[in-house]
Amino acid sequence: MKKPILITMGDAAGIGPEIIARSFRDSPDDLTGCVVIGDVATLRRATALIAAQAGTMALPVAQLDTLADLPSVPPNCLGVLQKCELPALVPYGQVSGLAGQAAAECIVWAARAVLAGQAGAMVTAPIHKEALAAAGGWAARFPGHTEMLQAEAAAFLGKPVSAVPVRMMLANDELKTVLVSIHMSLRNAIDAVTFDNVLQTLRITHEAVSASLGRPPRIAVAGLNPHAGEGGLFGSEEQLIIAPAIAVAREEGLDARGPFAPDTVFMRARNTPAKPGEFDVVVAMYHDQGLIPVKYLGVEQGVNVTLGLPLVRTSPDHGTAFDIAGTGQADASSLLAAIRMARRLAA
């Protein structure tokens, strides 16, 4: 048997358990070799929810003791490893410290299992950052998945966190973007546009995307300011920071170009059957600059990939959707896309 893919439950009050249950029910072939790391009762509630909506029998949920039990799970059954403490079902759509703590426990267990070679990859259902903060203790130290996984990887490697640089890539069939900074205020994100950070992002992007494409990627770099600074009229970061980092990257053999105006570079990189993109990936300077274009093209197929880790981690391109949690309306397409990409990357 190939190494399993671990799917973390996410926030129990959000749509994570529901889209996991829907994926197992509707796309069993895609879920072969997958096991959920989470709370058995929460997953049973989710399978009952989507069954009630469809007027069918609920998908059975099997509690596993170890990953070695996965081959014994019968077809059309959802296998769960209980790796979090959740004393009772949490209400849908409400921030809960209990849910935040449980989500964090699942993430850490899965990361350690993949790092130890017990699993091939991990796919993370959405968590709620306020719930993480409400959990207090060690879980509250992390603003999101990326930072938590970075800390686990650093501990596994015996290195300081700063020695394990990571980046977020959001990808779909038409566009890939990698971010220089991730979860921080816009003011802090502007300060994070440094020569070292931009060059490091280009190196990480080149290495990761080369591995998936099988060739060096064509990297476009977005400017920070309107019109990429317009020759210094609207800001000097392009001239003083971004362009010099690109120049060094090119000296190292990377196919990096720019900085380009942020309002047009994503259109130039978009790849469609009618018009192939000029670039394979865009390096964006901050979170929303890079994520809005990909999400606008369709949240359903977007996948978040963490680059720079010694493990494969993907996730859906959306959040916990508290507004529709518990209604049975959640679309599992992005989770399925994340599972397929995790399987390809792990291979």
Side-chain angles (χ1 to χ4, degrees), residues 202-246:
L202 291 171
R203 289 168 174 163
I204 292 172
T205 301
H206 173 81
E207 181 178 356
V209 181
S210 291
S212 64
L213 291 179
R215 60 171 174 80
R218 301 164 297 165
I219 305 172
V221 184
L224 173 67
N225 299 296
H227 303 185
E230 196 74 76
L233 291 175
F234 304 146
S236 60
E237 287 84 0
E238 286 77 12
Q239 295 173 309
L240 300 180
I241 298 170
I242 302 173
I246 295 171

Side-chain angles (χ1 to χ4, degrees), residues 1-6 32-34 70 113-114 116-121 343 346:
M1 177 183 173
K2 294 180 180 179
K3 292 181 180 179
I5 292 176
L6 310 182
T32 301
C34 294
L70 182 56
V114 178
Q118 299 170 14
R343 200 182 296 279

Side-chain angles (χ1 to χ4, degrees), residues 45-239:
R45 177 174 71 171
T47 60
L49 170 70
I50 61 172
Q53 183 193 43
T56 59
M57 294 289 291
L59 189 73
V61 175
Q63 181 169 349
L64 310 183
D65 294 324
T66 69
L67 288 175
D69 296 331
L70 182 56
S72 65
V73 176
N76 299 314
C77 182
L78 192 160
V80 180
L81 271 172
Q82 180 83 35
K83 293 297 178 182
C84 60
E85 295 295 329
L86 201 56
L89 291 171
V90 297
Y92 283 119
Q94 296 181 23
V95 173
S96 162
L98 286 174
Q101 180 67 34
E105 290 168 356
C106 294
I107 296 162
V108 168
W109 192 92
R112 291 176 180 175
V114 178
L115 288 167
Q118 299 170 14
M122 61 185 292
V123 180
T124 58
I127 59 174
H128 200 286
K129 293 173 178 60
E130 286 184 50
L132 273 186
W138 65 270
R141 292 166 37 210
F142 303 103
H145 279 109
T146 305
E147 296 81 2
M148 193 179 300
L149 294 171
Q150 181 185 29
E152 286 300 316
F156 176 79
L157 296 171
K159 296 181 178 181
V161 171
S162 60
V164 187
V166 297
R167 295 295 187 272
M168 176 190 292
M169 179 173 77
L170 203 64
N172 59 30
D173 291 339
E174 297 183 16
L175 184 63
K176 296 180 178 69
T177 65
V178 179
L179 311 180
V180 170
S181 64
I182 306 177
H183 298 122
M184 57 181 65
S185 73
L186 184 55
R187 289 186 186 278
N188 290 337
I190 292 171
D191 292 337
V193 179
T194 66
F195 174 86
D196 288 342
N197 283 346
V198 174
L199 181 57
Q200 189 176 69
T201 306
L202 291 171
R203 289 168 174 163
I204 292 172
T205 301
H206 173 81
E207 181 178 356
V209 181
S210 291
S212 64
L213 291 179
R215 60 171 174 80
R218 301 164 297 165
I219 305 172
V221 184
L224 173 67
N225 299 296
H227 303 185
E230 196 74 76
L233 291 175
F234 304 146
S236 60
E237 287 84 0
E238 286 77 12
Q239 295 173 309

